[in-house]
């Protein structure tokens, strides 16, 4: 019987480490099914009112292991043309150049650069790049991740300034808006 060479041991160990890493960090696909991408903003036009809106067309890839959050990767987009505030004319206006410019920038994208655990159960800190209308800014926010069978539920909330992304002119609409994310992703 031949002796196992150090070179063979190195390759075997490398293969086993890579294989075990791929087993622990599960790949998930995010879709519109079970997802909500909601935004809330205040409008002071005549009377102060809160406007709620939604985006559809969620697509994405998520790699996540609750025991190793540093290995996580989140990359998701929503389709700008799916914006819905309940008023058709407003939705069409929001797709125009002065707001989201949906014909030139058809998607908004969120990509993680790091995910870390917090001291709360099932709660993590997301840091990453948010791209809207061709402008990319770093954002950070807490989110929860709950595994259930072949799926993972991610929920988070963050606040941004729309003018930082070139969305809309100075007008009676607040600059700050809140985004609520509820994403159900399934194992690939």
């Amino acid at each position: 019987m031949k002796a196992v060479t150090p070179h063979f041991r190195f390759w075997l160990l490398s293969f086993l480490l890579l294989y075990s890493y791929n087993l622990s960090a599960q790949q998930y696909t995010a879709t519109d099914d079970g997802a909500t991408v909601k935004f809330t903003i205040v409008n002071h036009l005549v009377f102060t009112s809160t406007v709620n809106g939604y985006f559809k067309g969620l697509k994405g890839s998520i790699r996540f292991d609750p025991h190793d959050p540093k290995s996580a990767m989140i990359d998701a987009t929503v389709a700008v043309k799916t914006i819905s505030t309940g008023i058709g004319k407003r939705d069409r206006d929001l797709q125009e150049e002065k707001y989201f410019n949906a014909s030139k920038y058809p998607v908004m994208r969120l990509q993680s650069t790091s995910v870390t655990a917090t001291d709360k159960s099932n709660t993590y800190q997301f840091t990453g790049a948010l791209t809207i209308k061709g402008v990319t800014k770093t954002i950070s926010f807490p989110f929860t991740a709950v595994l259930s069978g072949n799926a993972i539920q991610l929920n988070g909330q963050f606040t941004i300034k729309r003018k930082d992304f070139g969305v809309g002119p100075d007008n009676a609409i607040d600059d700050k808006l809140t985004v609520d994310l509820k994403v159900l992703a399934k194992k690939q």
Side-chain angles (χ1 to χ4, degrees):
M1 183 169 163
K2 279 185 163 181
V4 177
T5 66
H7 184 64
F8 177 77
R9 286 183 192 156
F10 170 77
W11 287 110
L12 179 61
L13 180 60
S14 296
F15 173 77
L16 291 174
L17 286 172
L18 182 61
Y19 181 74
S20 66
Y21 171 77
N22 285 334
L23 283 179
S24 63
Q26 295 294 319
Q27 287 291 133
Y28 299 91
T29 300
T31 63
D32 265 349
D33 182 31
T36 304
V37 179
K38 176 185 174 186
F39 66 90
T40 305
I41 193 164
V42 176
N43 185 344
H44 302 280
L45 190 55
V46 177
F47 301 102
T48 299
S49 63
T50 300
V51 176
N52 293 308
Y54 300 87
F55 288 98
K56 293 286 184 187
L58 178 71
K59 295 180 182 176
S61 177
I62 297 168
R63 183 179 65 229
F64 190 79
D65 175 7
H67 303 293
D68 185 18
K70 290 182 181 183
S71 70
M73 184 279 306
I74 299 169
D75 187 357
T77 62
V78 291
V80 174
K81 286 188 176 185
T82 65
I83 193 168
S84 175
T85 63
I87 299 174
K89 182 181 179 339
R90 177 171 50 203
D91 296 345
R92 289 186 295 279
D93 287 346
L94 289 171
Q95 293 179 45
E96 295 298 320
E97 184 177 351
K98 68 180 176 180
Y99 286 98
F100 287 102
N101 199 356
S103 62
K104 185 173 182 181
Y105 304 103
V107 297
M108 291 182 279
R109 186 174 193 179
L110 184 64
Q111 294 176 284
S112 64
T113 54
S114 73
V115 174
T116 55
T118 69
D119 57 354
K120 294 181 183 176
S121 178
N122 298 326
T123 304
Y124 304 87
Q125 187 70 24
F126 172 97
T127 301
L130 175 63
T131 303
I132 300 173
K133 203 175 176 182
V135 177
T136 302
K137 299 283 184 182
T138 299
I139 65 169
S140 187
F141 60 91
F143 72 96
T144 59
V146 178
L147 297 169
S148 177
N150 289 328
I152 186 168
Q153 179 72 47
L154 306 173
N155 297 330
Q157 182 182 84
F158 59 90
T159 300
I160 59 172
K161 293 182 178 181
R162 66 179 175 87
K163 290 187 230 168
D164 286 352
F165 295 91
V167 177
D170 282 329
N171 55 20
I173 301 169
D174 273 359
D175 187 22
K176 288 184 180 180
L177 67 114
T178 301
V179 178
D180 285 298
L181 299 172
K182 292 184 185 344
V183 178
L184 178 64
K186 297 179 181 176
K187 279 187 187 176
Q188 294 180 339

